[in-house]
Every structure is written in structure tokens, then in C-alpha cells.
């Protein structure tokens, strides 16, 4: 069984996030710092990627003052605590090949030093010395001590309620390590 290592190229990888609330949604991007994907006999077998939580950007708010205020709140202890936890990480513990380029990925997502297992479907394309992988991860923020305006912890929030789940659309590009 031949194992090949592929280094994730942060500048060619990305995460698009969406958070929803009763009155709408917000979206933006987060940078990927580094990572590695492992292939055994041409099939995804493991890997990880590191998320730079200090790079969170909000794309749907165009007013510079409100955008900065909202970003500051996302960086605070109510959400990602980026001063104490500048990185989050996903570690693949299992990659089940489904069919074609489809996989069911299971792994450990660590945010704010808290780790929970999470599973999602992904498409993985191998072409020579290059891998591209894409999948949508749905995260329950309350599992990572992000309780701000959660209906699980607060009552009578009305239209200020923020839904517990947020989505991460992850796109990875990795190249064979020399």
C-alpha cells in the first residue's frame, strides 16, 4: 500500500462561511493556513487542515463601521475568541470512499480548544500531483461554547435569535510533497 502526502496550499484553498438568524444571514470567508492530505493507493485516507480564525471576513456588510464592529464581535469570546485561539483545526479520522469522487469524511473539529467529531460528504479529485477537495461542514456552534443569542440557552430572543448551526464550504487544493 503506497501512501502519498500532499501539502495543502493555503493561497489556493478557502472556506466560505454562512451564519443564519431569524431575520436573514451573514456570510464571508476564512483563510486556511496549512494542512496535509494523505492518499493510500490513490484514495483519500487521512489528513488535516488548519483554519486561521483571525482572518474571518464578512462579505455581506458593506458599511465599513458596521463591518468592523461585527468582525470584532466574531473575534470576541462570544464567538471565536481569536486572541486566545487564533487557529481551529480539522483532523480526518476516517475517509470512506462512496463512489466516483465521493467520500464520507469523519474527523475531529477543534474550535476554541474544544473538539467534537463531525461527518460530511466531500468530493475529492486526484489529478497527478494535485488534489482538490470540496465539502460542506455544518457546525453546531453551541458545541464550541458559542452561545450568544442561542435559543438553547436564552429565552424571549424574538427576531434577535441566531441559529445554532453555521455552514463552512471548504475548498482545498494540495500538491504532492517532495
Amino acid at each position: 500500500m503506497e501512501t502519498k502526502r500532499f501539502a495543502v496550499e493555503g493561497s489556493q484553498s478557502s472556506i466560505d462561511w454562512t451564519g443564519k438568524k431569524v431575520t436573514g444571514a451573514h456570510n464571508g470567508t476564512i483563510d486556511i493556513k496549512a494542512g496535509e492530505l494523505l492518499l493510500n493507493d490513490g484514495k483519500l485516507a487521512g489528513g488535516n487542515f488548519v483554519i486561521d480564525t483571525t482572518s474571518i471576513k464578512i462579505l455581506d456588510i458593506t458599511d465599513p463601521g458596521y463591518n468592523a464592529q461585527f468582525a470584532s464581535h466574531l473575534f470576541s469570546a462570544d464567538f471565536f475568541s481569536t486572541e486566545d485561539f487564533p487557529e481551529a483545526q480539522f483532523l480526518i479520522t476516517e475517509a470512506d470512499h462512496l463512489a466516483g469522487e465521493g467520500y464520507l469524511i469523519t474527523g475531529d473539529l477543534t474550535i476554541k480548544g474544544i473538539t467534537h467529531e463531525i461527518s460530511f460528504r466531500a468530493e475529492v479529485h486526484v489529478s497527478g500531483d494535485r488534489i482538490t477537495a470540496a465539502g460542506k461542514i455544518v457546525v453546531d456552534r453551541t458545541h464550541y461554547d458559542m452561545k450568544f443569542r442561542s435559543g438553547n440557552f436564552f429565552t424571549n430572543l424574538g427576531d434577535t435569535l441566531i441559529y445554532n448551526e453555521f455552514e463552512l464550504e471548504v475548498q482545498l487544493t494540495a500538491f504532492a510533497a517532495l
Side-chain angles (χ1 to χ4, degrees):
M1 194 185 298
E2 182 193 359
T3 300
K4 282 184 80 175
R5 296 180 177 283
F6 290 75
V8 172
E9 177 57 48
S11 66
Q12 295 182 39
S13 301
S14 64
I15 299 176
D16 294 328
W17 63 265
T18 303
K20 297 177 182 175
K21 56 186 182 173
V22 172
T23 58
H26 291 294
N27 68 286
T29 61
I30 311 172
D31 293 342
I32 294 175
K33 249 181 152 165
E36 177 179 67
L37 297 176
L38 303 175
L39 289 187
N40 277 341
D41 292 331
K43 302 287 184 209
L44 183 68
N48 68 79
F49 57 92
V50 178
I51 303 163
D52 178 1
T53 61
T54 67
S55 72
I56 296 170
K57 291 184 182 54
I58 301 137
L59 300 179
D60 66 295
I61 298 174
T62 55
D63 176 82
Y66 182 48
N67 188 296
Q69 179 184 12
F70 185 27
S72 178
H73 194 202
L74 290 178
F75 296 146
S76 78
D78 281 344
F79 290 99
F80 290 93
S81 298
T82 58
E83 190 172 308
D84 294 327
F85 302 99
E87 295 177 350
Q89 178 174 279
F90 184 77
L91 174 66
I92 298 171
T93 57
E94 199 171 330
D96 293 322
H97 184 244
L98 301 173
E101 296 179 343
Y103 284 82
L104 178 62
I105 306 294
T106 301
D108 294 328
L109 179 62
T110 303
I111 302 173
K112 292 172 68 170
I114 301 166
T115 302
H116 288 281
E117 184 177 85
I118 199 159
S119 295
F120 61 95
R121 291 184 177 270
E123 294 290 319
V124 179
H125 179 73
V126 180
S127 178
D129 287 346
R130 181 175 186 246
I131 297 176
T132 55
K136 178 167 74 171
I137 303 172
V138 178
V139 180
D140 182 335
R141 66 187 176 95
T142 64
H143 292 171
Y144 301 93
D145 195 31
M146 293 185 230
K147 300 173 184 171
F148 185 78
R149 292 192 183 154
S150 166
N152 289 5
F153 299 94
F154 301 96
T155 58
N156 302 318
L157 290 170
D159 64 4
T160 66
L161 176 104
I162 301 171
Y163 295 121
N164 292 336
E165 292 183 336
F166 66 92
E167 299 171 357
L168 301 174
E169 293 274 355
V170 179
Q171 305 275 334
L172 300 177
T173 299
F175 296 95
L178 300 174

